[in-house]
């Protein structure tokens, strides 16, 4: 179904009160929280969708030991099928919207489009914030000497490069450098330049990087690592409470550090509350999800100030 056909279908369903279930089902289909995890969460972690009834278990293969052989002896063997099993603990994401029943009956296309867009945005922000906040709490100055650095100010080239080097060494590469836009923006002050590494280094600007900073005010990559900025979001325009509270952490995430899953199909319901005037139409979507981090050494935490 192309965009024009979708709009025509949505408009006809919105006008007919007896087809609200079909309208809700169409909106849910195009939102599909499973697609959101694939499109966004997979930038940080491996992600997949499990069907109801699938085992909520992740198998973690143990390493095989290599031993020195003394001639004439028989050394121990490692069982390559030996695995550890980690169980997913499911959580639930719920998003609910409401709209003026009379405006919905008018078949205004922008009305339904705005519902779809708002629900996708809220679910995306929720999942990304859930993952980011969980990962920032893994390492502290007290529990690791090698995967945590207190920068003591805004992020610096030296601290970021050290973190990337550490993750490159133990995780086979960096999946992403992640933080709020405010926390990552200082990278633009040093990320568009390079030096020759000499004792008295010569520094020069990289044209493509300089152009990106000037045009976008941000960089998409530094030191070979993709930069992902999480936009600060707020609960509503009146209270204006921040929903991403961790402005003082930047994460350097390696490959294969964990997995994010959705479980089962999204559940939904729609109804009309006839008590207020005008009546209000409601649509609510619920999706179960879980997350396991089984290679925490592939995550580096930079604590900053001023983000």
């Amino acid at each position: 179904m192309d965009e024009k056909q979708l709009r025509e279908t949505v408009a006809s369903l919105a006008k007919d009160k007896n087809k609200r279930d079909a309208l809700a089902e169409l909106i849910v289909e195009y939102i599909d929280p499973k697609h959101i995890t694939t499109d966004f969460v997979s930038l940080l972690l491996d992600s997949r969708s499990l069907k109801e009834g699938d085992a909520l278990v992740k198998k973690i293969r143990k390493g095989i030991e290599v031993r020195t052989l003394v001639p004439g002896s028989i050394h121990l063997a490692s069982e390559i099928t030996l695995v550890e099993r980690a169980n997913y603990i499911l959580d639930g994401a719920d998003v609910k919207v409401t709209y003026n029943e009379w405006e919905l009956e008018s078949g205004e296309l922008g009305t339904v489009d705005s519902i779809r867009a708002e629900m996708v945005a809220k679910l995306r922000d929720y999942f990304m914030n859930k993952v980011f906040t969980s990962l920032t709490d893994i390492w502290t100055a007290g529990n690791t000497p090698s995967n945590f650095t207190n920068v003591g100010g805004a992020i610096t080239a030296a601290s970021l490069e050290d973190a990337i080097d550490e993750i490159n060494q133990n995780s086979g590469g960096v999946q992403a450098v992640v933080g709020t836009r405010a926390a990552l923006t200082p990278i633009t002050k040093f990320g568009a330049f390079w030096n020759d590494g000499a004792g008295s280094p010569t520094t020069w600007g990289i044209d493509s990087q300089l152009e990106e900073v000037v045009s976008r005010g941000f960089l998409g990559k530094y030191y070979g690592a993709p930069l992902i900025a999480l936009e600060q979001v707020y609960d509503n325009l009146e209270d204006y409470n921040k929903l991403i509270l961790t402005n003082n952490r930047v994460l350097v995430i390696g490959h294969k550090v964990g997995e994010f899953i959705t479980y089962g199909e999204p559940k939904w319901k729609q109804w009309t509350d006839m008590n207020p005037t005008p009546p209000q139409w409601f649509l609510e979507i619920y999706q179960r999800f879980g997350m396991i981090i089984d290679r925490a050494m592939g995550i580096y935490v930079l604590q900053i100030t001023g983000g």
Side-chain angles (χ1 to χ4, degrees):
M1 183 183 295
D2 60 28
E3 186 65 23
K4 181 179 178 181
Q5 291 175 318
L6 172 63
R7 285 173 169 266
E8 290 174 350
T9 301
V10 166
S12 64
L13 294 175
K15 290 179 181 179
D16 191 339
K17 287 184 178 181
N18 297 321
K19 294 182 179 179
R20 289 295 157 77
D21 276 346
L23 172 63
E25 190 171 353
L26 186 64
I27 294 175
V28 171
E29 179 182 346
Y30 273 82
I31 292 172
D32 198 345
K34 293 181 294 183
H35 291 169
I36 294 175
T37 62
T38 301
D39 294 340
F40 297 103
V41 178
S42 61
L43 296 174
L44 311 183
L45 298 175
D46 290 349
S47 63
R48 61 191 175 112
S49 299
L50 299 182
K51 298 178 181 179
E52 291 189 18
D54 288 348
L56 288 168
V57 172
K58 183 180 183 185
K59 296 181 179 180
I60 305 169
R61 183 179 295 275
K62 290 184 176 180
I64 299 175
E65 297 180 9
V66 179
R67 299 177 175 87
T68 300
L69 177 63
V70 178
S73 65
I74 300 175
H75 66 69
L76 299 174
S78 297
E79 185 181 357
I80 64 172
T81 58
L82 187 63
V83 295
E84 292 179 346
R85 292 172 173 83
N87 294 316
Y88 288 98
I89 298 176
L90 295 179
D91 203 345
D94 187 279
V95 59
K96 178 169 64 174
V97 296
T98 182
Y99 215 85
N100 184 325
E101 173 83 6
W102 294 346
E103 289 187 15
L104 202 61
E105 288 176 359
S106 70
E108 173 59 42
L109 298 181
T111 298
V112 179
D113 282 347
S114 66
I115 291 173
R116 288 169 49 207
E118 182 69 12
M119 296 184 85
V120 167
K122 292 302 183 186
L123 280 170
R124 179 194 63 213
D125 293 339
Y126 177 81
F127 285 137
M128 293 294 276
N129 187 29
K130 196 79 172 179
V131 172
F132 179 68
T133 303
S134 298
L135 296 184
T136 58
D137 293 333
I138 287 179
W139 296 123
T140 66
N143 63 16
T144 175
S146 57
N147 285 61
F148 181 92
T149 296
N150 186 343
V151 180
I155 193 169
T156 64
S159 63
L160 182 55
E161 289 171 15
D162 286 347
I164 292 173
D165 286 341
E166 177 68 23
I167 297 305
N168 280 337
Q169 180 177 335
N170 65 39
S171 293
V174 174
Q175 177 95 352
V177 176
V178 190
T180 62
R181 182 171 290 274
L184 294 181
T185 295
I187 296 175
T188 60
K189 297 179 180 179
F190 58 79
F193 303 91
W194 202 252
N195 66 67
D196 57 11
S200 299
T202 299
T203 301
W204 62 91
I206 303 171
D207 290 343
S208 60
Q209 299 284 79
L210 290 170
E211 183 178 350
E212 188 174 3
V213 170
V214 172
S215 61
R216 295 180 56 225
F218 197 73
L219 280 173
K221 182 172 286 191
Y222 177 73
Y223 204 49
L227 305 179
I228 298 179
L230 302 179
E231 301 291 349
Q232 185 59 266
V233 292
Y234 302 86
D235 52 0
N236 58 67
L237 295 178
E238 293 182 358
D239 297 330
Y240 216 59
N241 295 316
K242 293 179 180 179
L243 296 183
I244 299 180
L245 302 178
T246 312
N247 251 1
N248 64 340
R249 294 284 196 281
V250 172
L251 300 178
V252 181
I253 304 174
H255 297 300
K256 304 293 182 182
V257 300
E259 185 177 57
F260 185 97
I261 66 162
T262 56
Y263 187 75
E265 295 297 320
K267 310 294 184 183
W268 60 270
K269 60 180 179 179
Q270 67 86 20
W271 72 97
T272 300
D273 184 355
M274 300 301 295
N275 288 321
T277 301
Q280 290 293 116
W281 181 72
F282 289 83
L283 173 60
E284 185 172 4
I285 301 176
Y286 175 80
Q287 176 69 64
R288 286 176 290 177
F289 68 93
M291 176 172 52
I292 286 178
I293 306 300
D294 57 298
R295 288 198 66 255
M297 290 304 295
I299 300 170
Y300 200 108
V301 180
L302 293 167
Q303 180 174 312
I304 63 171
T305 58

